[in-house]
Amino acid sequence: MRQLRISPGTANATAFAGLLDRVAAVGRPKAVYEVSYVEDRADESVVVDGARFTSRVLRRNLDSVERVFPYVVTCGTEADAVTVPDGDQMQAFWLWSIREALVDEARDYLYEHLADRYRLRHWAVMHPGSGDADVWPIEQQKELFSVFGDVESMIGVRLTDTMLMIPTMSVSGIVYPTETDFASCQVCHREDCPRRTAPFDETVWQAVWGETAHT
Ligand code: SF4
């Protein structure tokens, strides 16, 4: 409520609490992951569980990594099915924020689970479609999903023709052990992004792209 600037004791607070209760009553966030191994490396791609991931950045980040953890996590179809009255933009935004918080918590839970179970002291994550378009192209969602089989029957997440995930509050990626901090935001030129977690890093950018012309 603080984040959404809803003052306690107001009508909005009551309405928000009611919406939150409705989502909490049905919400079932879910995740699927694999323990996978890098099977092959080429100049700008790696093969993981038979899927070729084409990304110069990922290839570089997995240079000395063998075991990786591809995953998909979602707020769940149940929370996605909750609705608000047509035209109520405020409640629609609240609902969007609640679902976002749900998938963020589920993702953090998954990361803790992986770190604990597989003794990961330090790790980083990459997501298809995060950062500049050519960092790890969004089209690679298809390859990532192929690692799991039928993701929709497992956790209810499907890909659209444009490679977006439904429910939209879903996150896919690959967790890998590393001693070097990395965030896609370091190689993303997008300005004023509210979800940026690290500043653009020219050094990292140059290390990946070298002499290649990128503007
Ligand atoms: S700055 Fe924003 S768009 Fe770019 S990678 Fe980070 S979160 Fe994604």
Side-chain angles (χ1 to χ4, degrees):
M1 285 173 60
R2 208 166 37 238
Q3 191 180 320
L4 295 171
R5 299 190 178 153
I6 300 170
S7 304
T10 61
N12 277 353
T14 305
F16 179 82
L19 183 58
L20 186 58
D21 283 348
R22 286 174 56 212
V23 177
V26 299
R28 308 280 291 177
K30 303 172 187 72
V32 59
Y33 74 87
E34 281 286 348
V35 182
S36 303
Y37 293 86
V38 177
E39 296 164 349
D40 192 26
R41 293 177 169 83
D43 280 354
E44 300 197 359
S45 67
V46 290
V47 175
V48 172
D49 270 356
R52 183 170 293 281
F53 297 148
T54 304
S55 158
R56 185 186 286 212
V57 185
L58 182 65
R59 166 67 182 86
R60 178 177 173 273
N61 287 351
L62 298 187
D63 205 26
S64 56
V65 174
E66 299 298 332
R67 191 175 61 169
V68 295
F69 306 89
Y71 75 88
V72 181
V73 61
T74 178
C75 72
T77 51
E78 299 85 354
D80 203 48
V82 174
T83 57
V84 295
D86 273 351
D88 191 332
Q89 297 297 329
M90 188 168 65
Q91 288 223 34
F93 180 63
W94 292 349
L95 183 56
W96 187 89
S97 303
I98 291 169
R99 288 188 189 128
E100 183 179 55
L102 198 54
V103 74
D104 283 352
E105 288 294 324
R107 181 207 53 208
D108 290 350
Y109 181 90
L110 174 67
Y111 290 169
E112 282 170 28
H113 165 82
L114 293 175
D116 189 45
R117 175 163 291 188
Y118 301 101
R119 303 281 185 265
L120 305 180
R121 279 191 305 118
H122 201 102
W123 72 94
V125 191
M126 283 192 66
H127 314 272
S130 266
D132 286 1
D134 51 0
V135 168
W136 189 8
I138 186 85
E139 291 75 18
Q140 289 273 293
Q141 287 275 46
K142 207 169 179 176
E143 293 296 319
L144 183 62
F145 271 56
S146 75
V147 168
F148 308 105
D150 188 352
V151 178
E152 185 167 10
S153 70
M154 290 175 185
I155 60 169
V157 180
R158 65 182 171 84
L159 285 177
T160 68
D161 291 344
T162 54
M163 298 297 121
L164 296 177
M165 289 178 282
I166 304 292
T168 49
M169 286 304 170
S170 302
V171 181
S172 64
I174 188 164
V175 173
Y176 60 93
T178 179
E179 294 300 319
T180 309
D181 287 335
F182 176 83
S184 297
C185 304
Q186 291 174 299
V187 286
C188 178
H189 284 88
R190 183 172 161 187
E191 293 177 0
D192 303 325
C193 174
R195 290 181 67 84
R196 181 177 280 283
T197 58
F200 179 81
D201 190 322
E202 187 66 37
T203 307
V204 176
W205 178 260
Q206 285 299 332
V208 174
W209 300 109
E211 298 299 309
T212 311
H214 272 273
T215 56

